[in-house]
Amino acid sequence: MQASNNEELDKTQINLSKISEIQESNGELRIAKRMLSGLTSVEIANLINSSPPKTRRYLWSLIEQEDHADILQELPEEVAAQFVERMDSHQVAELTEELDVDDAADILQHLPDQVMQQALAAMSAQNRARLETILSYEEDTAGGLMDTDVITIRPRFTLDVVLRYLRRHEEIPPSTDQLIVVNSDNVYLGTLSMSKLLTTDPNISVREIMRTDVEAVPVDMDDGKVAQLFEQNDWVSAPVINEQDQVVGRITIDDVVDVIIEDAEHSLMGMSGLGEDEDTFAPVIKTTPRRAIWLGINLLTAILASSVINIFEETIEKVVALAILMPIVASMGGVAGSQTLTVVVRGMALGKIGPTNKNWLLLREISSGLINGLLWALTLALLTAWWFNDIKIAIIIAVATIINLLVAAIGGTLLPSLLKRMGIDPALAGGVALTTVTDVVGFMSFLGLATLFYR
């Protein structure tokens, strides 16, 4: 699998190099177009996604209009929106007719409200109604994730009737592994697997072989919980129901994979204060403000830590070794805290942490922090005593290290829940908040103890 991914990356870079050569030499468009014609939609999308803005526009100009929809479906939503923004409302309306309704909704949500409303107004009534249904739900819920393209059947029909009904369709929706069984009011009753449909006596009714134990997904369920259900039940697709238990759509495994990837990117990018939709090749005008906000927050926290150091200015002047050693205490706390924070945030995202097990986790992290604190405090004490030939400063750094590692364990366990109750994303703000705590506590304990010892 890893080898396959590396081959795909290498192929993308080779194609990108060829396109750059053609672009820089003002080569003929037909050469570039011929090259793109030999690539699949996924390969072209990878090529666009791996290119700077100028090359993206060049590549998009080479693509035939009838291929736009296929390629947009393979692009990240923010990148796809960059091209859609340049289209007029009628072009957007035509494009969405060819896109899966959930993919079209994802792209429209990244457009300015005025552009989105103009595009909706230019659509056919049927397509507009389907899109407005999905757009009425939050993006990170089952409703925002679902596709309204669903095949439903009634329990009283025989399998032969169902098969003849399916043959009337030109095609069935992708990833259709089961048909959804409803009553006359469209209320969800159960599912009929395609394998059962094809291998069972056609004279048997749907009611006789349908499954009634397959759980439907509430339309307002968080997309992270939807992903957990798919993982736990090995689903390929699942029906989505509203508050009246009526079927309003379905979610397929490809949508869930996107959620899993986005959650993983969110956790990774959140460590640096960035969003999961951060575009690698976004223009400076978009990248700079996003980073500036978190740099500003980090500056404030750094000033807070520096102000703690300033309180003990006289002590540092007396014992210069303190200035050399104090970053060690803060750094040890920061690393220990980030380890705990990562475990807790991941556990919360997977729904594994709750009121019943939070105390056990807290005790585990405190125990681990204490053991590591004693181990590395002893190591630091011996090293410091040898380095500076001063037993006092060795004791000070040992005690400060134990205190900071314990605080890091407690903070890393409790901060995510606290931030979540405050409506702040723990993955995005947890790292900054915890680093501030460990820096302040580390400096305060180390320099405070030094003040007591060196009076």
Side-chain angles (χ1 to χ4, degrees):
M1 184 67 177
Q2 185 65 44
S4 177
N5 289 340
N6 289 337
E7 288 174 10
E8 189 64 36
L9 290 171
D10 290 342
K11 187 175 182 180
T12 298
Q13 291 303 314
I14 291 169
N15 289 331
L16 189 57
S17 178
K18 291 178 181 177
I19 287 292
S20 297
E21 287 176 12
I22 296 171
Q23 189 179 8
E24 290 171 6
S25 63
N26 294 318
E28 294 185 25
L29 289 178
R30 62 183 179 82
I31 299 175
K33 284 186 175 182
R34 190 186 309 125
M35 177 190 157
L36 290 183
S37 66
L39 303 178
T40 64
S41 298
V42 173
E43 289 171 337
I44 295 173
N46 286 337
L47 197 58
I48 292 173
N49 197 35
S50 303
S51 303
K54 184 178 178 181
T55 306
R56 283 178 178 175
R57 292 191 293 271
Y58 176 72
L59 285 167
W60 188 254
S61 68
L62 301 175
I63 300 168
E64 299 294 336
Q65 189 169 344
E66 59 265 26
D67 296 325
H68 284 176
D70 291 336
I71 293 166
L72 284 175
Q73 289 188 103
E74 305 298 339
L75 286 170
E77 295 158 16
E78 186 172 296
V79 178
Q82 292 173 12
F83 298 115
V84 178
E85 282 177 357
R86 298 189 181 94
M87 301 178 185
D88 61 41
S89 56
H90 292 285
Q91 288 176 316
V92 176
E94 290 177 11
L95 185 69
T96 55
E97 296 282 353
E98 302 176 50
L99 290 170
D100 292 338
V101 66
D102 52 337
D103 291 326
D106 288 339
I107 294 173
L108 288 177
Q109 285 170 335
H110 282 76
L111 299 177
D113 287 342
Q114 185 178 357
V115 177
M116 182 174 70
Q117 293 305 325
Q118 289 174 350
L120 287 170
M123 295 175 190
S124 65
Q126 182 182 11
N127 199 33
R128 181 168 60 252
R130 294 168 69 200
L131 276 167
E132 285 177 341
T133 298
I134 292 182
L135 291 170
S136 65
Y137 301 108
E138 293 293 330
E139 187 179 1
D140 57 354
T141 64
L145 194 63
M146 71 181 183
D147 188 348
T148 56
D149 194 4
V150 179
I151 295 180
T152 58
I153 56 175
R154 303 285 173 80
R156 69 174 185 273
F157 294 129
T158 64
L159 301 189
D160 182 53
V161 171
V162 173
L163 286 167
R164 282 190 277 117
Y165 169 65
L166 290 178
R167 292 191 190 101
R168 290 169 53 190
H169 293 73
E170 291 184 7
E171 59 180 5
I172 61 175
S175 302
T176 300
D177 65 316
Q178 59 186 358
L179 303 178
I180 301 172
V181 185
V182 298
N183 65 14
S184 57
D185 295 321
N186 203 38
V187 172
Y188 174 70
L189 299 177
T191 62
L192 173 64
S193 72
M194 294 295 284
S195 61
K196 283 281 187 183
L197 173 63
L198 296 172
T199 58
T200 306
D201 183 350
N203 295 314
I204 289 178
S205 70
V206 170
R207 180 178 285 106
E208 293 177 75
I209 63 167
M210 62 182 275
R211 290 188 60 182
T212 57
D213 59 340
V214 178
E215 187 178 357
V217 177
V219 73
D220 57 353
M221 178 178 281
D222 178 81
D223 59 5
K225 292 182 179 178
V226 173
Q228 288 173 33
L229 285 175
F230 267 75
E231 179 189 9
Q232 293 164 5
N233 297 285
D234 292 327
W235 287 342
V236 174
S237 67
V240 180
I241 56 174
N242 60 19
E243 292 178 355
Q244 290 75 43
D245 290 336
Q246 295 172 317
V247 174
V248 292
R250 71 182 186 121
I251 295 172
T252 54
I253 188 63
D254 57 314
D255 299 313
V256 174
V257 169
D258 290 340
V259 171
I260 294 169
I261 292 172
E262 285 173 9
D263 285 348
E265 289 179 345
H266 177 72
S267 298
L268 177 64
M269 302 295 277
M271 299 288 183
S272 302
L274 301 173
E276 73 274 6
D277 57 355
E278 179 77 10
D279 180 7
T280 305
F281 296 99
V284 174
I285 195 170
K286 286 188 175 181
T287 300
T288 304
R290 292 174 179 173
R291 299 185 184 184
I293 293 170
W294 285 99
L295 285 171
I297 293 171
N298 186 69
L299 175 61
L300 293 175
T301 60
I303 290 172
L304 176 61
S306 298
S307 66
V308 172
I309 297 172
N310 186 59
I311 296 171
F312 302 97
E313 182 181 1
E314 292 182 8
T315 306
I316 295 172
E317 286 178 354
K318 288 180 184 177
V319 187
V320 178
L322 295 174
I324 299 171
L325 295 171
M326 65 182 180
I328 297 176
V329 179
S331 177
M332 291 290 286
V335 172
S338 66
Q339 290 172 341
T340 301
L341 183 71
T342 301
V343 170
V344 173
V345 169
R346 178 177 176 272
M348 289 174 63
L350 295 174
K352 294 180 178 179
I353 297 176
T356 56
N357 55 19
K358 189 184 295 181
N359 290 338
W360 184 93
L361 187 63
L362 176 60
L363 183 60
R364 195 276 304 270
E365 291 300 322
I366 290 175
S367 301
S368 177
L370 181 59
I371 294 169
N372 273 315
L374 291 170
L375 171 65
W376 292 108
L378 178 60
T379 305
L380 272 172
L382 293 173
L383 182 62
T384 304
W386 170 79
W387 190 359
F388 294 99
N389 195 27
D390 187 339
I391 193 66
K392 283 185 180 180
I393 203 168
I395 295 171
I396 290 166
I397 197 168
V399 175
T401 299
I402 294 171
I403 292 171
N404 209 20
L405 262 63
L406 285 173
V407 168
I410 296 169
T413 306
L414 299 181
L415 259 178
S417 298
L418 178 62
L419 290 171
K420 194 170 185 179
R421 281 199 295 269
M422 295 169 62
I424 302 172
D425 188 349
L428 205 57
V432 175
L434 187 58
T435 299
T436 304
V437 170
T438 54
D439 281 355
V440 170
V441 171
F443 293 142
M444 185 72 76
S445 58
F446 182 60
L447 297 176
L449 288 168
T451 302
L452 293 174
F453 271 74
Y454 288 100
R455 277 181 176 176

